[in-house]
Amino acid sequence: MLNIILCGAPGSGKGTQSAFLAEKYGLQHLSTGDALRGEVKSGSELGKKIEAQIAAGNLVPDDMMYGVIEHYIEQLPKDSKGMIFDGYPRTVAQAESLTELLKKYHMEAIMIDLMVDEHLLTDRLLERGKISGRADDNLETIRHRIAVYHDQTEPVAGYYLHQGNYFVINGNRSVEEVSIQLEKVIDLATR
Ligand code: ADP
Ligand code: MG
């Protein structure tokens, strides 16, 4: 089984590259952002709480996330080749609970970090905002999300570095070039 945790700032290309990896390796793609936005759309009580957090550019609380992830793992097809975690974990606490959760299901994962310069992140997200219709793809919220990333998500890299399954990729390059780098890293990590 190949489980990949794809990390990176908002706009670093996680969604774009997850689609590529899902296709290339036959993996299930779990975008926590998409899952949460789906919950919002459903109009549930949980969805309403989530909506407020997302619109403000904040992270959804860890305990809410845990439920979403476990639910997803439980309903994976039995013959699954593995999954991609896109947008999770975003805090060290979430990384710790993901390690426990994976252990419970006798799984492991490698973490790949997409590093992208800040001005490129902003440009990409503003561009995406023109078509995404996402409430958080505007300059003010983008700045806040990047600050939240530095504050809460960046330390996650140290967590995986410590665990010895940390890989990093220069995400500044074109979509195709980043995909090639990802393939190389996965080759290396699974050899
Ligand atoms: P994330 O899921 O990490 O927030 P996305 O995959 O949604 O990021 O990418 C954000 C935006 O940047 C999208 O509009 C996407 O088309 C674009 N994008 C993604 N990767 C690249 C890249 N390597 N070069 C240029 N634009 C990119
Ligand atoms: Mg995304």
Side-chain angles (χ1 to χ4, degrees):
M1 221 186 183
L2 172 64
N3 295 311
I4 300 170
I5 299 164
L6 207 51
C7 278
S12 57
K14 300 183 296 296
T16 306
Q17 296 300 336
S18 290
F20 163 78
L21 293 174
E23 167 76 25
K24 161 104 194 170
Y25 297 98
L27 307 176
Q28 261 80 35
H29 173 200
L30 170 59
S31 160
T32 47
D34 288 349
L36 295 171
R37 284 184 288 274
E39 191 67 44
V40 171
K41 260 203 190 132
S42 79
S44 69
E45 277 311 306
L46 179 62
K48 281 177 193 146
K49 285 185 201 149
I50 291 171
E51 185 171 24
Q53 298 291 328
I54 292 182
N58 291 323
L59 298 181
V60 171
D62 289 349
D63 53 339
M64 260 186 223
M65 288 310 308
Y66 190 89
V68 173
I69 304 294
E70 176 148 43
H71 179 77
Y72 185 83
I73 294 179
E74 271 170 355
Q75 50 137 56
L76 271 186
K78 286 284 161 283
D79 59 351
S80 170
K81 290 184 179 160
M83 62 197 134
I84 305 166
F85 295 92
D86 161 11
Y88 186 87
R90 273 183 148 88
T91 64
V92 172
Q94 288 182 359
E96 286 165 350
S97 26
L98 181 58
T99 301
E100 287 311 307
L101 195 55
L102 289 172
K103 226 183 250 168
K104 184 169 153 189
Y105 291 89
H106 310 288
M107 292 187 219
E108 287 181 347
I110 57 167
M111 193 281 228
I112 306 179
D113 206 356
L114 290 174
M115 293 284 216
V116 174
D117 292 347
E118 203 147 317
H119 67 281
L120 284 178
L121 296 174
T122 313
D123 291 352
R124 287 182 190 176
L125 291 172
L126 285 174
E127 205 49 46
R128 185 175 77 183
K130 291 180 188 165
I131 48 164
S132 72
R134 280 177 52 165
D136 54 356
D137 280 345
N138 60 76
L139 192 56
E140 192 190 338
T141 316
I142 289 167
R143 289 205 173 120
H144 179 63
R145 286 159 66 207
I146 292 175
V148 169
Y149 168 77
H150 285 310
D151 189 41
Q152 302 194 47
T153 309
E154 247 170 14
V156 170
Y159 173 84
Y160 286 103
L161 187 63
H162 217 80
Q163 302 238 318
N165 54 357
Y166 176 74
F167 300 87
V168 61
I169 280 183
N170 176 355
N172 290 326
R173 299 183 219 172
S174 72
V175 172
E176 293 74 21
E177 284 170 315
V178 174
S179 297
I180 292 171
Q181 293 306 313
L182 275 168
E183 275 184 68
K184 285 189 185 158
V185 160
I186 291 167
D187 251 19
L188 208 84
T190 54
R191 219 177 345 201

